Amino acid sequence: MTVLIERINILLEAGIISKEVADYVLKVIDLFSNYTFDEAKMEMFTTHLAMATQRTVDKNEELEFDETIWAQIIEDLNYEKAVNLFEMIVTYSPVSYMESERKFLIMHLCNLSQD
């Protein structure tokens, strides 16, 4: 977990994410410490979470999300688990995610949930 924390601190120190976003992602890392997720996948997810949250804070242009990819994601065996994880972490989020960001994060949570 220290690698994850260091990565978020680097993004914060570089001014890529705000303190509010860093605190939120660190909270998610803490929440996920009870799970046995692959560390490399966890690094990828937390970085994407930080960037998606910062994009939403900054009100940047909404991402384009390919609907054919989304159709595959909702068929994924881990989709329901991913949605449940998303719903858990979004309760702590400082922002309300746009639909495309929500899909993007659920996609990464599906990946994270794979064995």
Side-chain angles (χ1 to χ4, degrees), residues 36-86:
T36 54
F37 293 132
D38 177 82
E39 191 166 344
K41 289 180 180 180
M42 197 52 192
E43 286 178 32
M44 186 183 329
F45 171 72
T46 53
T47 301
H48 285 294
L49 177 63
M51 299 311 294
T53 306
Q54 191 63 54
R55 270 193 304 274
T56 305
V57 166
D58 294 342
K59 296 181 178 22
N60 281 354
E61 194 172 311
E62 189 167 0
L63 293 177
E64 293 284 326
F65 198 94
D66 187 326
E67 290 304 314
T68 56
I69 293 172
W70 183 246
Q72 293 172 5
I73 292 166
I74 61 175
E75 295 298 320
D76 190 285
L77 294 173
N78 293 301
Y79 174 74
E80 202 169 308
K81 180 179 181 181
V83 169
N84 289 336
L85 288 169
F86 178 79

Side-chain angles (χ1 to χ4, degrees), residues 8-109:
I8 299 309
N9 285 330
I10 289 168
L11 292 173
L12 175 62
E13 290 167 11
I16 296 169
I17 62 172
S18 68
K19 173 95 170 85
E20 179 182 41
V21 171
D23 289 345
Y24 167 59
V25 177
L26 292 172
K27 171 71 175 172
V28 171
I29 291 169
D30 185 52
L31 288 170
F32 283 7
S33 67
N34 297 325
Y35 296 85
T36 54
F37 293 132
D38 177 82
E39 191 166 344
K41 289 180 180 180
M42 197 52 192
E43 286 178 32
M44 186 183 329
F45 171 72
T46 53
T47 301
H48 285 294
L49 177 63
M51 299 311 294
T53 306
Q54 191 63 54
R55 270 193 304 274
T56 305
V57 166
D58 294 342
K59 296 181 178 22
N60 281 354
E61 194 172 311
E62 189 167 0
L63 293 177
E64 293 284 326
F65 198 94
D66 187 326
E67 290 304 314
T68 56
I69 293 172
W70 183 246
Q72 293 172 5
I73 292 166
I74 61 175
E75 295 298 320
D76 190 285
L77 294 173
N78 293 301
Y79 174 74
E80 202 169 308
K81 180 179 181 181
V83 169
N84 289 336
L85 288 169
F86 178 79
E87 289 173 357
M88 177 182 70
I89 67 172
V90 78
T91 62
Y92 300 96
S93 176
V95 297
S96 295
Y97 294 103
M98 294 176 277
E99 185 63 16
S100 60
E101 294 288 8
R102 186 182 81 75
K103 289 177 177 179
F104 179 69
L105 291 170
I106 289 172
M107 176 187 70
H108 284 287
L109 286 163

